[in-house]
Amino acid sequence: MSQFSRMDIRIGGVRAGRIVTGLSVAVFQLVTYQLLLQYNADRLGSGPLWNIETAFDRALPLIPEFAFVYFLYIPGLIIPALLDMPMTLFLRYAVAMVLAICVSSAGFAWIPLQVIHEPFVCTRLSCEGLVLLREVDPGVNLMPSLHASQTLLAAMVLYFASSRYQVRSFWWQWSACLYVPIIISTLVTKQHYVLDLLAGFGVAIAAWWLSGRLFHPVARHAD
């Protein structure tokens, strides 16, 4: 591995390219997700829904405080995974993220799923996070879970950067510690079902593999 591939994040043109690429992916996801929220809010109110809730989902308690962990999904995993890595690995990560967004969006638009939130009474300040979460994410974009696919992609790229490129900064360790709590938060806030997560994990694995096949230089350096 060349010194250039290790340090290319510090080169002005490459750094600007990273920023533009990252922002483009973020805008694409935000716009697509919001459009599907509106679309699903209309169509799911007038038709039958699939029921994929398992006994395990029903047995899990509602823990409102985990909403604050749920919100760490982007600042805690997605953004740190964009930091210290060679450009080839960065591009593979960006392509895999776009693939995951596209596949999940198709699932959101086709699969008739919605989480029916049971009313809860809680006046503690710690419950405000769950109230906000349900306002911004009413539980209609479910399968495959973007939370599951994108956090797994972030975890995979963290692993590759650490094992192949010896990148072990504070932010990588911070992200590794947050991965499991973020996944748990999707279940105990009742925002996702187990099957949503399993589908999301499958999408992440397929997107990571396909991104390596689409960009041969990326696959050669990072696979």
Side-chain angles (χ1 to χ4, degrees):
M1 178 179 57
S2 69
Q3 185 68 14
F4 175 80
S5 67
R6 288 177 61 92
M7 307 302 293
D8 61 13
I9 193 172
R10 300 183 181 180
I11 298 172
V14 175
R15 185 170 62 247
R18 288 171 179 266
I19 294 171
V20 171
T21 301
L23 287 176
S24 298
V25 173
V27 170
F28 174 61
Q29 173 169 333
L30 180 62
V31 172
T32 303
Y33 196 84
Q34 290 301 316
L35 289 174
L36 285 165
L37 276 181
Q38 297 175 20
Y39 171 72
N40 281 331
D42 293 334
R43 81 178 177 103
L44 295 177
S46 59
L49 300 174
W50 290 6
N51 181 9
I52 63 168
E53 185 181 28
T54 66
F56 179 76
D57 293 306
R58 290 189 293 271
L60 289 173
L62 173 66
I63 308 177
E65 291 80 3
F66 263 83
F68 297 105
V69 179
Y70 190 98
F71 284 124
L72 291 175
Y73 150 60
I74 292 178
L77 273 171
I78 306 303
I79 292 177
L82 296 171
L83 299 178
D84 301 324
M85 72 174 78
M87 189 62 173
T88 50
L89 189 57
F90 173 87
L91 289 175
R92 180 175 183 178
Y93 179 51
V95 169
M97 291 282 279
V98 170
L99 290 172
I101 294 168
C102 291
V103 173
S104 291
S105 297
F108 299 159
W110 175 65
I111 302 173
L113 281 177
Q114 182 176 7
V115 173
I116 306 300
H117 292 127
E118 296 182 1
F120 75 101
V121 177
C122 180
T123 58
R124 302 192 308 271
L125 180 61
S126 60
C127 296
E128 293 301 315
L130 184 59
V131 173
L132 176 60
L133 174 56
R134 291 183 175 180
E135 288 177 354
V136 300
D137 189 356
V140 293
N141 290 349
L142 292 183
M143 180 183 279
S145 166
L146 266 178
H147 237 77
S149 62
Q150 292 188 331
T151 52
L152 182 56
L153 283 172
M156 286 193 290
V157 80
L158 289 169
Y159 169 78
F160 270 82
S162 176
S163 63
R164 303 291 176 86
Y165 298 97
Q166 291 74 54
V167 177
R168 297 185 179 90
S169 67
F170 164 78
W171 292 110
W172 297 88
Q173 297 169 20
W174 152 272
S175 299
C177 292
L178 277 178
Y179 177 73
V180 172
I182 288 174
I183 291 299
I184 292 173
S185 76
T186 66
L187 296 173
V188 297
T189 57
K190 303 297 182 176
Q191 289 296 111
H192 279 287
Y193 299 121
V194 170
L195 293 181
D196 299 332
L197 301 185
L198 294 178
F201 295 149
V203 168
I205 293 169
W208 183 251
W209 177 85
L210 186 57
S211 66
R213 307 284 75 78
L214 291 175
F215 283 79
H216 297 294
V218 176
R220 185 171 61 251
H221 287 286
D223 204 3

